[in-house]
Amino acid sequence: MAASMTTDQSWFFALALGVSFLKCLLINAYHSTDFEVHRNWLALTHSLPVSQWYYEATSEWTLDYPPLFAWFEYGLSHIARVFDKEMLVVQNLNYASAATVLFQRLSVIVADALLFYGVKECCKCLQEDKGKYLFGKPSILAVLLMWNFGLLIVDHIHFQYNGFLFGVLLLSIARHFQSRHLEGALLFSILLNLKHIYMYIAPAYGIFLLRCFCFTQNNADGSLHWRSFSPLRLIALGTIVVSTFAVSFGPFIALGQLPQVLSRLFPFKRGLCHAYWAPNIWALYNIADKAFSILGVKFKLLDITKLPKASMTGGLVQEFQHSVFPSVSPLATLVCTLLSILPALFKIWHRPDGARGFLRCLVLCALGSFMFGWHVHEKAILLAILPLSLLAVESRQDARIFLILSTTGHFSLFPLLFTTQELPIKIFLMLIFTIFSFTSLKKLFRKEGALVSTLEAVYLLGLIPLELICEFVYPLTVWQKTFPFLPLMLTSVYCALGVTYSFIGLYITLLTCSNAINKVKIQ
């Protein structure tokens, strides 16, 4: 990926302005408990001394993000008091005045300016034929990122601050494509200290920087030239990482609170799966265990009185024991996650393929962690979908996987918006984004044949009857009161099939693609 965009970038600003206007229209939409989470963090960082931030527990929504995000909330709190000082009172639980809603919604919209900048820098890295900017790769990528369906509903309806965080990530990725590796490393270190979920992709960063920055030369066959190792570059990288973490965690280390902070960041007392199962391998594992337990009872192979009492149909249960299969521990998920990403890490160490190879490894690390991680949230699928957008506009194979992963991954977010008034909004936004994704990528690769096979298309179309059943048919049945979790389970399991298929497809592409096909500038 190496070229410059035209000087006329009015299309980019039009896209940014348009999506910002759409976000403003969603200000009064439904918001989840995450709205109260961030209001509480505004209050406690503003009202309490630093020494109490990670101990405060008046609200059940305690501070569980890294320190840099806590300082981000602290900064916002000084602007928040201009809107409504009452939102900054720790004891005002579930406070949501009109001014509070307006401030918090606007804070997300304004923070997304960093997302726009990150997208703009990524678009500059795309290789594009002269004269094709308006309907070419840069404009398609800009829509896929700035108008991403998942970001719109998670940040601007459900309520979170993922947009500006992804802006930092995209800016970091762009810097690596531009061979500005120290800047990319600094940005990622900052990102880790804003939200620790980005640890999922830290192995990709670590191996890539060690292989392609600390080692300065390759042999003629592309293998590593061991004598080209630069200690000074390693020291520079280490200084950046250590300094960033020192600034972030230093005050809490000085206060002797590091164990308390870490206990908030990594609450392993939670169960294997979130209340709504993320569409990953554990959703398939759970449903298989449930199916075998039912069959075991039916054929009198299992004693129903000896089965675990925890139910998987209540929606609020986070910890349960499996009936037939072994129960999964945090250590087991860690081992499975490491095994799932090791081939990708080995590939960029053995044959790096520049920044594009790093990006592919990053996507696989994100998706591998999503597939096998402990207590994964469904929203984490965006960590794979957004970076994959950059690959999707460069390669037909990646575009195919992107369409399957983004469609199923975005659909799996539907249960986040369960209110009646948001139903047409989420369906409309999903349709618009999906139709644009298919039509634009199809046009981009029109000379290379169909993007998805007949079987893949049938699977994706199956999401339509699934939505009709879950939203309209099932609530009218007698099973609604007895098995309220069934629609969520069906959605999770069906989408898990598509996510798993995409994960396998990405690995096949990684292991079979020719290194001779290189559409990017090798760093």
Side-chain angles (χ1 to χ4, degrees):
M1 295 182 185
S4 62
M5 298 168 64
T6 61
T7 55
D8 180 14
Q9 297 177 349
S10 58
W11 60 267
F12 184 89
F13 296 107
L15 288 173
L17 185 63
V19 76
S20 298
F21 178 72
L22 174 61
K23 293 169 185 177
C24 290
L25 295 178
L26 299 173
I27 284 177
N28 291 319
Y30 152 84
H31 55 78
S32 72
T33 53
D34 279 335
F35 181 89
E36 169 62 13
V37 169
H38 288 281
R39 186 217 60 82
N40 182 56
W41 294 358
L42 284 172
L44 69 89
T45 55
H46 183 84
S47 306
L48 301 176
V50 175
S51 60
Q52 296 181 31
W53 285 3
Y54 285 94
Y55 282 95
E56 166 58 35
T58 300
S59 168
E60 62 180 308
W61 312 117
T62 53
L63 180 59
D64 59 4
Y65 272 28
L68 283 191
F69 196 91
W71 286 110
F72 169 73
E73 294 276 11
Y74 175 77
L76 286 180
S77 71
H78 290 280
I79 306 173
R81 64 182 180 181
V82 177
F83 285 76
D84 185 350
K85 293 181 180 179
E86 291 301 310
M87 79 172 83
L88 301 176
V89 178
V90 175
Q91 288 72 26
N92 283 352
L93 303 182
N94 300 310
Y95 186 80
S97 66
T100 301
V101 172
L102 178 63
F103 167 74
Q104 292 201 221
R105 291 293 197 190
L106 287 178
S107 68
V108 180
I109 295 172
V110 173
D112 277 357
L114 190 53
L115 171 65
F116 298 158
Y117 181 52
V119 172
K120 189 172 182 291
E121 289 299 302
C122 285
C123 289
K124 288 181 180 179
C125 299
L126 288 175
Q127 183 176 6
E128 182 60 275
D129 296 332
K130 187 176 181 180
K132 291 187 178 181
Y133 293 96
L134 184 57
F135 299 104
K137 294 175 184 178
S139 57
I140 293 173
L141 177 62
V143 175
L144 293 180
L145 293 173
M146 290 195 295
W147 288 73
N148 179 271
F149 167 76
L151 276 184
L152 283 174
I153 69 165
V154 171
D155 278 12
H156 302 281
I157 301 181
H158 182 80
F159 194 84
Q160 281 191 352
Y161 287 91
N162 294 291
F164 94 89
L165 295 172
F166 274 110
V168 178
L169 175 62
L170 293 173
L171 189 57
S172 173
I173 291 172
R175 292 298 179 250
H176 288 304
F177 275 98
Q178 297 161 359
S179 297
R180 296 158 66 176
H181 298 299
L182 289 178
E183 288 182 46
L186 174 61
L187 287 165
F188 184 68
S189 295
I190 293 172
L191 184 61
L192 279 178
N193 284 276
L194 285 167
K195 192 170 183 178
H196 51 305
I197 193 175
Y198 292 95
M199 287 180 63
Y200 286 177
I201 57 177
Y205 269 87
I207 298 298
F208 171 71
L209 287 169
L210 181 62
R211 175 65 174 83
C212 295
F213 180 71
C214 294
F215 287 92
T216 59
Q217 295 180 17
N218 291 329
N219 293 319
D221 62 354
S223 61
L224 178 64
H225 184 63
W226 288 95
R227 293 185 178 181
S228 67
F229 176 71
S230 171
L232 290 179
R233 290 192 172 194
L234 180 62
I235 292 172
L237 279 177
T239 301
I240 286 174
V241 174
V242 172
S243 299
T244 306
F245 276 82
V247 170
S248 178
F249 284 87
F252 301 96
I253 294 174
L255 292 168
Q257 295 181 0
L258 183 60
Q260 173 64 18
V261 175
L262 294 178
S263 69
R264 286 283 184 88
L265 299 184
F266 303 102
F268 286 110
K269 292 182 180 180
R270 295 176 181 175
L272 171 66
C273 295
H274 196 243
Y276 161 52
W277 302 344
N280 58 15
I281 200 70
W282 304 125
L284 300 177
Y285 188 86
N286 290 344
I287 196 63
D289 179 81
K290 191 68 174 177
F292 278 107
S293 67
I294 293 173
L295 291 175
V297 171
K298 182 176 181 180
F299 291 103
K300 298 182 179 180
L301 298 175
L302 295 174
D303 184 353
I304 193 172
T305 61
K306 295 182 179 180
L307 294 180
K309 298 297 182 182
S311 170
M312 289 185 282
T313 59
L316 297 177
V317 176
Q318 294 187 354
E319 291 192 71
F320 58 85
Q321 292 181 332
H322 292 89
S323 303
V324 178
F325 297 158
S327 291
V328 181
S329 67
L331 179 60
T333 62
L334 176 62
V335 171
C336 290
T337 301
L338 291 175
L339 290 176
S340 74
I341 66 175
L342 275 177
L345 296 175
F346 175 79
K347 181 67 165 56
I348 63 167
W349 177 265
H350 183 61
R351 290 289 188 275
D353 195 24
R356 190 171 188 268
F358 155 70
L359 181 57
R360 188 179 300 281
C361 180
L362 182 152
V363 173
L364 280 165
C365 286
L367 201 51
S369 300
F370 179 84
M371 288 288 295
F372 298 98
W374 177 264
H375 197 77
V376 173
H377 287 240
E378 66 284 347
K379 298 181 284 292
I381 192 65
L382 297 178
L383 190 52
I385 292 176
L386 269 79
L388 183 58
S389 305
L390 279 75
L391 296 174
V393 297
E394 293 275 40
S395 159
R396 175 184 172 276
Q397 291 83 359
D398 293 322
R400 167 179 152 268
I401 297 171
F402 170 81
L403 291 174
I404 297 170
L405 181 63
S406 64
T407 304
T408 54
H410 286 155
F411 185 87
S412 72
L413 300 176
F414 267 32
L416 291 175
L417 307 182
F418 53 83
T419 55
T420 304
Q421 56 267 35
E422 272 66 48
L423 177 60
I425 296 176
K426 68 181 181 183
I427 292 177
F428 175 75
L429 291 177
M430 173 78 174
L431 283 175
I432 293 299
F433 182 83
T434 304
I435 291 172
F436 173 82
S437 300
F438 273 84
T439 55
S440 61
L441 292 176
K442 180 181 179 181
K443 183 178 180 180
L444 195 60
F445 301 106
R446 59 187 177 277
K447 296 181 180 179
E448 301 181 42
L451 285 178
V452 296
S453 67
T454 302
L455 186 60
E456 291 165 347
V458 169
Y459 167 77
L460 293 176
L461 289 172
L463 294 171
I464 297 175
L466 176 61
E467 172 66 5
L468 293 174
I469 291 171
C470 293
E471 292 285 0
F472 302 103
V473 177
Y474 191 79
L476 302 176
T477 66
V478 296
W479 300 319
Q480 172 65 20
K481 293 183 179 180
T482 310
F483 304 106
F485 189 57
L486 192 56
L488 297 178
M489 185 173 67
L490 290 174
T491 300
S492 178
V493 171
Y494 193 88
C495 292
L497 296 173
V499 174
T500 303
Y501 181 82
S502 301
F503 181 65
I504 296 172
L506 277 171
Y507 254 120
I508 291 174
T509 303
L510 173 76
L511 299 176
T512 60
C513 67
S514 172
N515 287 324
I517 302 175
N518 187 5
K519 297 182 179 179
V520 298
K521 180 182 179 181
I522 301 298
Q523 306 302 320

